[in-house]
PDB file of all heavy atoms in Angstrom:
ATOM      1  N   TYR A1357       0.841  -1.217  -0.009  1.00 98.00           N
ATOM      2  CA  TYR A1357      -0.016  -0.028   0.003  1.00 98.00           C
ATOM      3  C   TYR A1357       0.848   1.273  -0.004  1.00 98.00           C
ATOM      4  O   TYR A1357       1.815   1.367   0.764  1.00 98.00           O
ATOM      5  CB  TYR A1357      -0.945   0.038   1.200  1.00 98.00           C
ATOM      6  CG  TYR A1357      -2.117  -0.898   1.054  1.00 98.00           C
ATOM      7  CD1 TYR A1357      -1.975  -2.294   1.099  1.00 98.00           C
ATOM      8  CD2 TYR A1357      -3.383  -0.377   0.840  1.00 98.00           C
ATOM      9  CE1 TYR A1357      -3.063  -3.145   0.958  1.00 98.00           C
ATOM     10  CE2 TYR A1357      -4.477  -1.200   0.659  1.00 98.00           C
ATOM     11  CZ  TYR A1357      -4.339  -2.556   0.762  1.00 98.00           C
ATOM     12  OH  TYR A1357      -5.398  -3.431   0.595  1.00 98.00           O
ATOM     13  N   TYR A1358       0.498   2.192  -0.898  1.00 98.00           N
ATOM     14  CA  TYR A1358       1.251   3.435  -0.994  1.00 98.00           C
ATOM     15  C   TYR A1358       0.260   4.606  -0.788  1.00 98.00           C
ATOM     16  O   TYR A1358      -0.933   4.555  -1.119  1.00 98.00           O
ATOM     17  CB  TYR A1358       1.817   3.591  -2.387  1.00 98.00           C
ATOM     18  CG  TYR A1358       2.750   2.547  -2.878  1.00 98.00           C
ATOM     19  CD1 TYR A1358       2.255   1.348  -3.416  1.00 98.00           C
ATOM     20  CD2 TYR A1358       4.119   2.689  -2.763  1.00 98.00           C
ATOM     21  CE1 TYR A1358       3.118   0.346  -3.851  1.00 98.00           C
ATOM     22  CE2 TYR A1358       4.988   1.714  -3.188  1.00 98.00           C
ATOM     23  CZ  TYR A1358       4.492   0.557  -3.754  1.00 98.00           C
ATOM     24  OH  TYR A1358       5.367  -0.426  -4.183  1.00 98.00           O
ATOM     25  N   CYS A1359       0.803   5.683  -0.247  1.00 98.00           N
ATOM     26  CA  CYS A1359       0.052   6.938  -0.263  1.00 98.00           C
ATOM     27  C   CYS A1359       0.770   7.911  -1.157  1.00 98.00           C
ATOM     28  O   CYS A1359       1.958   7.799  -1.442  1.00 98.00           O
ATOM     29  CB  CYS A1359      -0.095   7.547   1.129  1.00 98.00           C
ATOM     30  SG  CYS A1359       1.388   8.063   1.954  1.00 98.00           S
ATOM     31  N   ALA A1360       0.029   8.859  -1.688  1.00 97.00           N
ATOM     32  CA  ALA A1360       0.552   9.864  -2.639  1.00 97.00           C
ATOM     33  C   ALA A1360      -0.132  11.174  -2.404  1.00 97.00           C
ATOM     34  O   ALA A1360      -1.277  11.225  -2.095  1.00 97.00           O
ATOM     35  CB  ALA A1360       0.380   9.374  -4.065  1.00 97.00           C
ATOM     36  N   ALA A1361       0.612  12.244  -2.619  1.00 96.00           N
ATOM     37  CA  ALA A1361       0.106  13.597  -2.414  1.00 96.00           C
ATOM     38  C   ALA A1361       0.000  14.324  -3.763  1.00 96.00           C
ATOM     39  O   ALA A1361       0.879  14.167  -4.616  1.00 96.00           O
ATOM     40  CB  ALA A1361       0.995  14.366  -1.480  1.00 96.00           C
ATOM     41  N   ARG A1362      -1.056  15.052  -3.895  1.00 95.00           N
ATOM     42  CA  ARG A1362      -1.316  15.866  -5.084  1.00 95.00           C
ATOM     43  C   ARG A1362      -1.314  17.326  -4.664  1.00 95.00           C
ATOM     44  O   ARG A1362      -2.064  17.677  -3.758  1.00 95.00           O
ATOM     45  CB  ARG A1362      -2.600  15.513  -5.700  1.00 95.00           C
ATOM     46  CG  ARG A1362      -2.949  16.230  -7.033  1.00 95.00           C
ATOM     47  CD  ARG A1362      -4.383  15.988  -7.475  1.00 95.00           C
ATOM     48  NE  ARG A1362      -4.650  16.586  -8.771  1.00 95.00           N
ATOM     49  CZ  ARG A1362      -5.839  16.940  -9.219  1.00 95.00           C
ATOM     50  NH1 ARG A1362      -6.890  16.835  -8.385  1.00 95.00           N
ATOM     51  NH2 ARG A1362      -5.984  17.457 -10.421  1.00 95.00           N
ATOM     52  N   SER A1363      -0.547  18.120  -5.368  1.00 93.00           N
ATOM     53  CA  SER A1363      -0.452  19.566  -5.013  1.00 93.00           C
ATOM     54  C   SER A1363      -1.656  20.357  -5.522  1.00 93.00           C
ATOM     55  O   SER A1363      -1.458  21.473  -6.060  1.00 93.00           O
ATOM     56  CB  SER A1363       0.856  20.155  -5.519  1.00 93.00           C
ATOM     57  OG  SER A1363       0.954  19.977  -6.957  1.00 93.00           O
ATOM     58  N   VAL A1364      -2.803  19.802  -5.373  1.00 94.00           N
ATOM     59  CA  VAL A1364      -4.079  20.405  -5.680  1.00 94.00           C
ATOM     60  C   VAL A1364      -5.007  20.005  -4.573  1.00 94.00           C
ATOM     61  O   VAL A1364      -4.913  18.866  -4.047  1.00 94.00           O
ATOM     62  CB  VAL A1364      -4.606  19.958  -7.087  1.00 94.00           C
ATOM     63  CG1 VAL A1364      -5.987  20.613  -7.334  1.00 94.00           C
ATOM     64  CG2 VAL A1364      -3.612  20.395  -8.173  1.00 94.00           C
ATOM     65  N   ALA A1365      -5.949  20.805  -4.255  1.00 95.00           N
ATOM     66  CA  ALA A1365      -6.821  20.557  -3.087  1.00 95.00           C
ATOM     67  C   ALA A1365      -7.782  19.400  -3.345  1.00 95.00           C
ATOM     68  O   ALA A1365      -8.170  18.662  -2.406  1.00 95.00           O
ATOM     69  CB  ALA A1365      -7.596  21.810  -2.705  1.00 95.00           C
ATOM     70  N   SER A1366      -8.243  19.261  -4.589  1.00 95.00           N
ATOM     71  CA  SER A1366      -9.277  18.286  -4.915  1.00 95.00           C
ATOM     72  C   SER A1366      -8.706  16.980  -5.428  1.00 95.00           C
ATOM     73  O   SER A1366      -7.607  16.959  -5.992  1.00 95.00           O
ATOM     74  CB  SER A1366     -10.253  18.867  -5.887  1.00 95.00           C
ATOM     75  OG  SER A1366      -9.627  19.190  -7.130  1.00 95.00           O
ATOM     76  N   CYS A1367      -9.444  15.918  -5.304  1.00 95.00           N
ATOM     77  CA  CYS A1367      -9.050  14.655  -5.900  1.00 95.00           C
ATOM     78  C   CYS A1367      -9.184  14.736  -7.403  1.00 95.00           C
ATOM     79  O   CYS A1367     -10.090  15.390  -7.891  1.00 95.00           O
ATOM     80  CB  CYS A1367      -9.936  13.519  -5.387  1.00 95.00           C
ATOM     81  SG  CYS A1367      -9.718  13.141  -3.611  1.00 95.00           S
ATOM     82  N   PRO A1368      -8.298  14.051  -8.114  1.00 93.00           N
ATOM     83  CA  PRO A1368      -8.384  14.100  -9.561  1.00 93.00           C
ATOM     84  C   PRO A1368      -9.571  13.330 -10.058  1.00 93.00           C
ATOM     85  O   PRO A1368     -10.265  12.665  -9.298  1.00 93.00           O
ATOM     86  CB  PRO A1368      -7.072  13.484  -9.986  1.00 93.00           C
ATOM     87  CG  PRO A1368      -6.680  12.557  -8.911  1.00 93.00           C
ATOM     88  CD  PRO A1368      -7.159  13.225  -7.636  1.00 93.00           C
ATOM     89  N   GLY A1369      -9.799  13.372 -11.387  1.00 84.00           N
ATOM     90  CA  GLY A1369     -10.842  12.629 -12.028  1.00 84.00           C
ATOM     91  C   GLY A1369     -10.599  11.126 -11.856  1.00 84.00           C
ATOM     92  O   GLY A1369      -9.608  10.668 -11.256  1.00 84.00           O
ATOM     93  N   SER A1370     -11.560  10.329 -12.386  1.00 78.00           N
ATOM     94  CA  SER A1370     -11.484   8.872 -12.279  1.00 78.00           C
ATOM     95  C   SER A1370     -11.511   8.430 -10.816  1.00 78.00           C
ATOM     96  O   SER A1370     -10.748   7.502 -10.410  1.00 78.00           O
ATOM     97  CB  SER A1370     -10.264   8.332 -13.002  1.00 78.00           C
ATOM     98  OG  SER A1370     -10.276   8.709 -14.371  1.00 78.00           O
ATOM     99  N   ARG A1371     -12.317   9.085 -10.060  1.00 76.00           N
ATOM    100  CA  ARG A1371     -12.484   8.804  -8.618  1.00 76.00           C
ATOM    101  C   ARG A1371     -11.199   8.809  -7.858  1.00 76.00           C
ATOM    102  O   ARG A1371     -10.971   8.027  -6.942  1.00 76.00           O
ATOM    103  CB  ARG A1371     -13.226   7.453  -8.459  1.00 76.00           C
ATOM    104  CG  ARG A1371     -14.585   7.413  -9.038  1.00 76.00           C
ATOM    105  CD  ARG A1371     -15.351   6.172  -8.690  1.00 76.00           C
ATOM    106  NE  ARG A1371     -14.748   5.018  -9.299  1.00 76.00           N
ATOM    107  CZ  ARG A1371     -15.164   3.749  -9.106  1.00 76.00           C
ATOM    108  NH1 ARG A1371     -16.209   3.508  -8.270  1.00 76.00           N
ATOM    109  NH2 ARG A1371     -14.576   2.739  -9.729  1.00 76.00           N
ATOM    110  N   GLY A1372     -10.321   9.745  -8.226  1.00 75.00           N
ATOM    111  CA  GLY A1372      -9.083   9.990  -7.472  1.00 75.00           C
ATOM    112  C   GLY A1372      -7.978   8.974  -7.782  1.00 75.00           C
ATOM    113  O   GLY A1372      -6.948   8.964  -7.113  1.00 75.00           O
ATOM    114  N   MET A1373      -8.158   8.163  -8.778  1.00 83.00           N
ATOM    115  CA  MET A1373      -7.208   7.068  -9.055  1.00 83.00           C
ATOM    116  C   MET A1373      -6.261   7.341 -10.222  1.00 83.00           C
ATOM    117  O   MET A1373      -5.542   6.439 -10.632  1.00 83.00           O
ATOM    118  CB  MET A1373      -8.003   5.782  -9.358  1.00 83.00           C
ATOM    119  CG  MET A1373      -8.946   5.396  -8.235  1.00 83.00           C
ATOM    120  SD  MET A1373      -9.945   3.943  -8.660  1.00 83.00           S
ATOM    121  CE  MET A1373     -11.273   4.115  -7.496  1.00 83.00           C
ATOM    122  N   GLN A1374      -6.234   8.556 -10.706  1.00 92.00           N
ATOM    123  CA  GLN A1374      -5.332   8.927 -11.794  1.00 92.00           C
ATOM    124  C   GLN A1374      -3.914   9.113 -11.228  1.00 92.00           C
ATOM    125  O   GLN A1374      -3.638  10.168 -10.638  1.00 92.00           O
ATOM    126  CB  GLN A1374      -5.773  10.191 -12.465  1.00 92.00           C
ATOM    127  CG  GLN A1374      -4.937  10.611 -13.664  1.00 92.00           C
ATOM    128  CD  GLN A1374      -5.516  11.828 -14.375  1.00 92.00           C
ATOM    129  OE1 GLN A1374      -6.708  12.138 -14.249  1.00 92.00           O
ATOM    130  NE2 GLN A1374      -4.648  12.564 -15.065  1.00 92.00           N
ATOM    131  N   GLN A1375      -3.079   8.152 -11.348  1.00 93.00           N
ATOM    132  CA  GLN A1375      -1.776   8.148 -10.690  1.00 93.00           C
ATOM    133  C   GLN A1375      -0.873   9.279 -11.166  1.00 93.00           C
ATOM    134  O   GLN A1375      -0.138   9.808 -10.360  1.00 93.00           O
ATOM    135  CB  GLN A1375      -1.079   6.798 -10.915  1.00 93.00           C
ATOM    136  CG  GLN A1375      -1.824   5.605 -10.379  1.00 93.00           C
ATOM    137  CD  GLN A1375      -1.074   4.271 -10.504  1.00 93.00           C
ATOM    138  OE1 GLN A1375       0.130   4.263 -10.370  1.00 93.00           O
ATOM    139  NE2 GLN A1375      -1.789   3.262 -10.751  1.00 93.00           N
ATOM    140  N   SER A1376      -0.987   9.673 -12.426  1.00 94.00           N
ATOM    141  CA  SER A1376      -0.139  10.742 -12.942  1.00 94.00           C
ATOM    142  C   SER A1376      -0.447  12.095 -12.286  1.00 94.00           C
ATOM    143  O   SER A1376       0.319  13.022 -12.434  1.00 94.00           O
ATOM    144  CB  SER A1376      -0.278  10.805 -14.449  1.00 94.00           C
ATOM    145  OG  SER A1376      -1.603  11.138 -14.832  1.00 94.00           O
ATOM    146  N   ALA A1377      -1.597  12.211 -11.648  1.00 94.00           N
ATOM    147  CA  ALA A1377      -1.985  13.451 -11.002  1.00 94.00           C
ATOM    148  C   ALA A1377      -1.285  13.688  -9.661  1.00 94.00           C
ATOM    149  O   ALA A1377      -1.427  14.780  -9.164  1.00 94.00           O
ATOM    150  CB  ALA A1377      -3.499  13.509 -10.857  1.00 94.00           C
ATOM    151  N   TYR A1378      -0.600  12.697  -9.172  1.00 96.00           N
ATOM    152  CA  TYR A1378       0.027  12.803  -7.840  1.00 96.00           C
ATOM    153  C   TYR A1378       1.516  13.130  -7.933  1.00 96.00           C
ATOM    154  O   TYR A1378       2.195  12.584  -8.871  1.00 96.00           O
ATOM    155  CB  TYR A1378      -0.219  11.539  -7.028  1.00 96.00           C
ATOM    156  CG  TYR A1378      -1.677  11.341  -6.691  1.00 96.00           C
ATOM    157  CD1 TYR A1378      -2.510  10.688  -7.519  1.00 96.00           C
ATOM    158  CD2 TYR A1378      -2.159  11.824  -5.455  1.00 96.00           C
ATOM    159  CE1 TYR A1378      -3.853  10.515  -7.274  1.00 96.00           C
ATOM    160  CE2 TYR A1378      -3.527  11.634  -5.169  1.00 96.00           C
ATOM    161  CZ  TYR A1378      -4.361  11.012  -6.054  1.00 96.00           C
ATOM    162  OH  TYR A1378      -5.691  10.816  -5.716  1.00 96.00           O
ATOM    163  N   ASP A1379       2.010  13.957  -7.065  1.00 94.00           N
ATOM    164  CA  ASP A1379       3.365  14.492  -7.208  1.00 94.00           C
ATOM    165  C   ASP A1379       4.423  13.785  -6.293  1.00 94.00           C
ATOM    166  O   ASP A1379       5.559  13.691  -6.662  1.00 94.00           O
ATOM    167  CB  ASP A1379       3.351  15.966  -6.881  1.00 94.00           C
ATOM    168  CG  ASP A1379       2.384  16.728  -7.738  1.00 94.00           C
ATOM    169  OD1 ASP A1379       2.512  16.700  -8.993  1.00 94.00           O
ATOM    170  OD2 ASP A1379       1.458  17.390  -7.155  1.00 94.00           O
ATOM    171  N   VAL A1380       3.958  13.363  -5.120  1.00 95.00           N
ATOM    172  CA  VAL A1380       4.889  12.770  -4.146  1.00 95.00           C
ATOM    173  C   VAL A1380       4.325  11.436  -3.725  1.00 95.00           C
ATOM    174  O   VAL A1380       3.139  11.297  -3.368  1.00 95.00           O
ATOM    175  CB  VAL A1380       5.036  13.719  -2.913  1.00 95.00           C
ATOM    176  CG1 VAL A1380       6.050  13.127  -1.916  1.00 95.00           C
ATOM    177  CG2 VAL A1380       5.498  15.081  -3.338  1.00 95.00           C
ATOM    178  N   TRP A1381       5.213  10.448  -3.661  1.00 97.00           N
ATOM    179  CA  TRP A1381       4.795   9.089  -3.318  1.00 97.00           C
ATOM    180  C   TRP A1381       5.623   8.606  -2.121  1.00 97.00           C
ATOM    181  O   TRP A1381       6.823   8.870  -2.034  1.00 97.00           O
ATOM    182  CB  TRP A1381       5.037   8.112  -4.483  1.00 97.00           C
ATOM    183  CG  TRP A1381       4.043   8.393  -5.636  1.00 97.00           C
ATOM    184  CD1 TRP A1381       4.106   9.398  -6.551  1.00 97.00           C
ATOM    185  CD2 TRP A1381       2.865   7.630  -5.929  1.00 97.00           C
ATOM    186  NE1 TRP A1381       2.997   9.301  -7.397  1.00 97.00           N
ATOM    187  CE2 TRP A1381       2.241   8.219  -7.042  1.00 97.00           C
ATOM    188  CE3 TRP A1381       2.291   6.483  -5.388  1.00 97.00           C
ATOM    189  CZ2 TRP A1381       1.100   7.683  -7.617  1.00 97.00           C
ATOM    190  CZ3 TRP A1381       1.141   5.959  -5.947  1.00 97.00           C
ATOM    191  CH2 TRP A1381       0.574   6.551  -7.025  1.00 97.00           C
TER     192      TRP A1381
END
């Protein structure tokens, strides 16, 4: 299990599962 942070306040499309939208893992 991994967590990832996105430098945007909202979850990305595709129910938050768009991996390319996350910046830090």
Side-chain angles (χ1 to χ4, degrees):
Y1357 283 73
Y1358 302 85
C1359 65
R1362 183 192 187 204
S1363 57
V1364 177
S1366 61
C1367 292
S1370 301
R1371 297 189 294 177
M1373 302 175 201
Q1374 184 178 336
Q1375 298 184 38
S1376 62
Y1378 294 87
D1379 305 301
V1380 184
W1381 291 77

